Amino acid sequence: SVNVLSLNTLSDLHPKPDTTFTYGTAGFRMKADLLDSVIFRTGIIAALRSKKLGGKVIGVMITASHNPAADNGVKLVDPMGEMLEGSWEAHATALSNAQTNEQVLDYIHVMVSSLKIDLTNPANVVYGRDTRPSGEALVSALEDGLKVLGAQSTDYGILTTPQLHYLTRCLNTVNTPESYGEPTVEGYYKKLAAAYKVLVEGKPKLSPVILDCANGVGAPKFKEFMNFLGDSFAVKIVNDDIENSSKLNLNSGADFVKTGQRAPVGLKMTPQDRCASFDGDADRIVYYYMDEDNTFKLLDGDKIAGLAAMFIIDLVKAAGIDNISVGVVQTAYANGASTQYLRNTLNVPVSCVSTGVKHLHHEALKYDVGVYFEANGHGTVVFSPTALKTIYSTEGSSPAQASAVRSLRALSEVINQTVGDAFSDLLLVETILTQRQWTPKIWDQAYSDLPNRLVKVVVKERSIFKTVDAERKLVEPAGLQDAIDAIVLKFRDGRSFVRPSGTEDVVRVYAEAATRPETDELAFRIGGLVF
Ligand code: NG1
Ligand code: ZN
């Protein structure tokens, strides 16, 4: 049973502030100075989760991704490197909101009995953090939480979020047929670099990619990675100042570039350049370039999904494999033109799911090869066991087929299948551009994005907004969806939807239409309905 004395002593060190917490799509995330008790209790949840799963390794990542330096957050990683199982989000929320030590203990007991957790099972937890200065103290809070149930733990120090997902999966599959790789950061670099070298072997090298690291963990970690990529990869890193924490994500990074549709600070583009931005924990990436007439062109998650799907479909064909189905998963924020391109030009099935990586990942597993990306640049490709078996048992009956098979195998290795990974996605895109000898402009020609606008509306109570149909329709407040539909009808190629954010206290309004002025007007009018 739980050592009450130790729980009380440790819990007293991490008093709960007068705030209500929610474990949402981004885990717990807020101002770092409110997180001490939350992270202490997250340690308890991680230990319970591990015990529930018979001692499997659970990951804990301390990061606030693309948010400002003063924020921080925490997310749990399940054994195969996926996001925490949905039903446990409510337990994390409940435990974080217990008011007293007694209530903390009570809730632990509720979980133990309702989930039939055997407390005598071992608990194994691994953790890492991004470069935020608040991370160090929060790690101590986490360690105190892990002590409560006597969890065995390993501190992996500063990591990108996807590296922690990779490590968690490797640790849980070590010495099994599903082994995912060597469970070290070096093992991660070696696996990706080796696969990348196979993919670009013999192809003329492209010009260096200019890489904005948002002054976050991606900078030191990508530099480490370069020791393994060596000559195979040419990069010019900008925004790599992690010493001055106030610069983290400031006017830089994938979120800034995607939202503002402009280049980050510290990056002077010329029309020859191919640029990419990571976010603050390196799980998102967007590309961009400048047209001859100096207009900024964004290649976001939708463009990456289109490129990846196109390439994989071609490779599967070239390999002479005909029993592998490729599908793409998007959210309602995917540009309408991307969905058209996937459906009508590539002829791939496209599913639309609710916001949040866990929904995309889950849906993507339904295909043999599932490509999923959020428009903001978070995504990856997952290969089913059947697809992998086919790829590894096919040899190809001509040199061309054999080469396509080799590429498919290496592709399944270069891609981080546990979660969207900016390093791995960068290598994926660079592979395709190198194999095709494409400029970003040629890539961009697959389709033209419809003009779009995303606005935040601050409302009194965002919980009154209830959606259905993968968040594309409102059922509450009553009548609002009819009013939206009536306006959208008046716009050429018009599409708009309204949903409450899962990570911020706002309602988001998305609009797209045939032209920029029409899009702006549509967004303005729908925003007016919500306000
Ligand atoms: P919310 O705040 O629920 O819209 C945002 C992003 C998601 C996802 C999560 C998790 C948009 C419109 N929404 O969710 O795509 O990345 O954060 O970080 O970009
Ligand atoms: Zn992120």
Side-chain angles (χ1 to χ4, degrees), residues 8-28:
N8 288 343
T9 316
L10 290 164
S11 188
D12 283 342
L13 299 172
H14 305 284
K16 179 185 176 294
D18 186 19
T19 309
T20 307
F21 303 107
T22 312
Y23 192 104
T25 39
F28 292 111

Side-chain angles (χ1 to χ4, degrees), residues 278 353 379 429:
F278 292 163
V353 300
V429 172

Side-chain angles (χ1 to χ4, degrees), residues 41-212:
R41 294 172 189 194
T42 300
I44 301 177
I45 290 284
L48 285 168
R49 179 88 184 133
S50 178
K51 283 177 187 283
K52 165 70 191 171
L53 301 176
K56 286 234 163 64
V57 179
I58 297 298
V60 182
M61 183 69 196
I62 297 179
T63 177
S65 186
H66 58 280
N67 291 134
D71 291 6
N72 216 327
V74 64
K75 247 196 278 196
L76 292 171
V77 180
D78 260 355
M80 289 308 275
E82 337 83 300
M83 303 291 173
L84 175 69
E85 185 188 291
S87 64
W88 275 63
E89 293 181 1
H91 297 308
T93 297
L95 191 68
S96 70
N97 289 314
Q99 293 299 340
T100 60
N101 292 351
E102 230 168 25
Q103 287 180 12
V104 169
L105 182 65
D106 284 349
Y107 198 75
I108 295 174
H109 284 143
V110 166
M111 288 180 68
V112 168
S113 67
S114 68
L115 300 165
K116 302 195 174 54
I117 298 171
D118 182 351
L119 282 180
T120 65
N121 277 348
N124 291 294
V125 177
V126 296
Y127 52 91
R129 61 182 175 96
D130 68 17
T131 53
R132 277 161 225 269
S134 57
E136 219 175 311
L138 293 174
V139 158
S140 315
L142 176 71
E143 286 166 345
D144 281 350
L146 294 169
K147 277 182 209 154
V148 171
L149 294 172
Q152 291 287 326
S153 63
T154 309
D155 179 1
Y156 278 88
I158 291 177
L159 291 177
T160 71
T161 295
Q163 287 177 334
L164 184 79
H165 286 253
Y166 165 91
L167 290 167
T168 306
R169 178 146 168 184
C170 290
L171 288 163
N172 284 303
T173 54
V174 83
N175 295 328
T176 73
E178 288 77 41
S179 165
Y180 195 66
E182 195 189 299
T184 60
V185 177
E186 199 179 302
Y188 166 93
Y189 293 137
K190 280 193 199 150
K191 177 178 174 178
L192 268 60
Y196 183 70
K197 286 174 189 171
V198 170
L199 286 161
V200 296
E201 198 191 316
K203 303 283 185 311
K205 236 163 100 174
L206 302 176
S207 63
V209 57
I210 304 180
L211 184 60
D212 156 35

